[in-house]
Amino acid sequence: MASTRRRHAGAAAAEWAAVSGAGAWRVEAVGKLQLMRRTGLPARDLRALDPALSYPSSIMGRDRAVVVNLECVRAVITATEVLVPGPRDPAVAPLVRELRARLIAAPASPAPSQEDEAADHGGALPPAAGVGGEGKDAQALGRESKALPFEFRALEVCLEFACKSLEQETRTLEEEAYPALDELSSNVSTLNLERVRQIKSRLVAISGRVQKVRDELEHLLDDDVDMAAMHLSEKLAYQAADGNSSRSNVDIEPSEFEEDRDGGEVEEEGGGSSEGRGYGNGTSATVFTPKIDELEILLEAYFVQIDGTLNKLSTLREYVDDTEDYINIMLDDKQNQLLQMGIMLSTGTLVVSCAIAATGVFGMNITIPLYTGATKGVFWQVTCGIVGAAAAVYLVALLCYRRSGILQ
């Protein structure tokens, strides 16, 4: 029985590339249950990473991991490593190489906190230089030199890889689309129409994928709670500082972010502190309110980039629509010319039919005075008279058509 379970577990295991913060990586065969215990993710989040299932693009922040599912980028980011499924896939291997190259770079030294500065100065904070200008500049410089947490650097690599992939596809489509549309404008043929049809199908597909990524980034920027849940390293440090390292959940207060951005202080109803809120079971809950400015700036940068890609696709779509309108105008003009030609031919047929009817009358075997008189030259007179009358009627009909606007 134990061997059977091991065989089943081995069969269910899949290959994952684990890239650590030092740039080291390895390929592991990890089962779903083992991965759930390792990252704390539920099964439904892992199903979003299955390439056989068509889940929409999403970035989900959980208690111990961040699930990234952006088109060709699928990864699980923890506070210490990045797990990428299917590393031997040619489409996934460049992502793994990019993660190794970017994460192996040594991060900048973190800026000293006010507590450290106070400890270095005997428990008192150093005075700010000047009235406040130079001191603020020094604090801003310290924040800039502070390194991003590991999960943010890994998320940045995933976002950059997804945006670059979509931008590359957009650039390739533009290089093929504009010449094909210009060729179709100058020469409407079945081959050119088929090329433009395929290009339009690709344009619709790529636009939908880019729109999904853009909507997901916009959703994250609008939701402060989701951005706060992605601060994995800060949550671990917060738990360790409060002595709650054994707890697996950290509560996040959603109403505090707007006040925190404005620099206001957060107070609990009834005078209690935010770190001491209790529950009915008697245990105290930890309220985690991180600074989301760094993550917000990071997401805004790639939101602008993906929005620019979407604008390029929108411009290309407008060009396709303009070309279609131009082709339709050309076809309508050709159709109008054919209709005018049909009117002229129909009128000519009617006039010729009248001439043939007159000829039939003269061809009847009936005795009339014309037949008993001198017939020399009468044939040509009658023939010329019938042809001239038919031509006159045809010209009069065309003149009436032009005056009425039927013909141009």
Side-chain angles (χ1 to χ4, degrees):
M1 182 65 68
S3 61
T4 303
R5 285 197 298 268
R6 283 195 298 270
R7 283 197 300 269
H8 285 304
E15 288 188 342
W16 290 72
V19 184
S20 65
W25 78 293
R26 61 190 182 277
V27 178
E28 302 179 3
V30 184
K32 181 178 291 187
L33 294 178
Q34 183 181 359
L35 189 64
M36 292 169 60
R37 290 192 296 267
R38 185 170 176 175
T39 61
L41 294 174
R44 67 176 182 273
D45 291 342
L46 295 180
R47 283 195 293 270
L49 301 177
D50 191 351
L53 302 177
S54 57
Y55 273 79
S57 298
S58 60
I59 301 177
M60 298 174 288
R62 297 296 183 252
D63 192 49
R64 293 164 49 193
V66 176
V67 181
V68 180
N69 177 27
L70 296 176
E71 296 302 321
C72 58
V73 178
R74 293 180 173 86
V76 177
I77 303 174
T78 65
T80 57
E81 63 181 357
V82 183
L83 300 172
V84 182
R88 304 186 191 278
D89 188 350
V92 181
L95 174 62
V96 178
R97 289 196 297 268
E98 187 70 16
L99 285 169
R100 292 176 58 193
R102 295 285 294 276
L103 297 180
I104 199 173
S109 57
S113 61
Q114 292 185 354
E115 289 79 3
D116 296 337
E117 294 180 2
D120 295 339
H121 291 79
L125 288 175
V131 178
E134 297 181 2
K136 292 182 179 179
D137 293 341
Q139 292 178 1
L141 182 61
R143 285 195 297 269
E144 291 178 358
S145 62
K146 183 180 179 181
L148 288 175
F150 171 78
E151 63 270 16
F152 290 174
R153 290 188 286 130
L155 179 61
E156 183 179 7
V157 174
C158 294
L159 289 173
E160 182 177 351
F161 189 85
C163 292
K164 283 187 176 180
S165 299
L166 293 173
E167 188 175 0
Q168 179 63 31
E169 292 186 29
T170 302
R171 189 180 301 111
T172 303
L173 183 62
E174 286 179 335
E175 294 174 356
E176 298 178 10
Y178 286 111
L181 292 171
D182 294 338
E183 179 68 21
L184 179 62
S185 300
S186 59
N187 181 20
V188 180
S189 62
T190 305
L191 179 60
N192 291 335
L193 287 173
E194 179 63 21
R195 288 178 59 192
V196 172
R197 186 192 65 82
Q198 294 177 359
I199 289 173
K200 188 174 182 180
S201 299
R202 291 168 55 190
L203 174 62
V204 172
I206 296 176
S207 298
R209 293 163 54 194
V210 173
Q211 184 67 47
K212 290 179 181 178
V213 176
R214 181 189 180 281
D215 292 342
E216 180 61 24
L217 293 179
E218 185 177 12
H219 168 73
L220 282 177
L221 289 171
D222 292 339
D223 197 332
D224 295 338
V225 177
D226 286 348
M227 285 193 288
M230 298 168 66
H231 290 68
L232 305 179
S233 300
E234 208 168 332
K235 276 192 287 188
L236 291 178
Y238 195 81
Q239 289 176 348
D242 285 354
N244 296 327
S245 58
S246 61
R247 290 176 55 90
S248 60
N249 294 322
V250 176
D251 297 325
I252 300 174
E253 182 64 28
S255 62
E256 296 181 0
F257 291 104
E258 295 299 330
E259 298 180 4
D260 183 65
R261 287 183 180 180
D262 298 335
E265 296 182 357
V266 180
E267 297 182 359
E268 293 294 324
E269 295 182 1
S273 67
S274 62
E275 299 181 3
R277 180 177 297 147
Y279 288 83
N281 55 6
T283 61
S284 61
T286 303
V287 178
F288 178 61
T289 56
K291 298 284 186 179
I292 61 175
D293 298 339
E294 292 180 347
L295 180 58
E296 190 173 15
I297 294 174
L298 175 65
L299 294 177
E300 282 179 352
Y302 290 99
F303 175 80
V304 172
Q305 182 176 353
I306 201 67
D307 190 60
T309 303
L310 186 61
N311 290 335
K312 291 181 180 179
L313 293 172
S314 300
T315 303
L316 180 57
R317 179 188 290 273
E318 292 178 359
Y319 195 82
V320 172
D321 294 339
D322 293 342
T323 305
E324 288 181 349
D325 294 339
Y326 177 70
I327 297 300
N328 290 331
I329 292 173
M330 291 178 58
L331 295 177
D332 291 341
D333 183 63
K334 296 293 184 182
Q335 187 177 6
N336 292 335
Q337 293 179 6
L338 291 175
L339 290 175
Q340 293 179 8
M341 183 64 68
I343 292 174
M344 296 171 65
L345 292 176
S346 299
T347 305
T349 303
L350 177 61
V351 172
V352 172
S353 299
C354 294
I356 293 173
T359 304
V361 171
F362 285 105
M364 291 182 180
N365 192 13
I366 301 174
T367 301
I368 59 175
L370 181 63
Y371 294 160
T372 60
T375 58
K376 185 179 180 180
V378 175
F379 173 78
W380 295 110
Q381 294 175 3
V382 173
T383 302
C384 292
I386 292 175
V387 173
V393 171
Y394 183 71
L395 293 176
V396 170
L398 293 182
L399 183 59
C400 293
Y401 290 156
R402 289 185 180 276
R403 287 188 175 181
S404 62
I406 297 177
L407 295 180
Q408 295 179 357

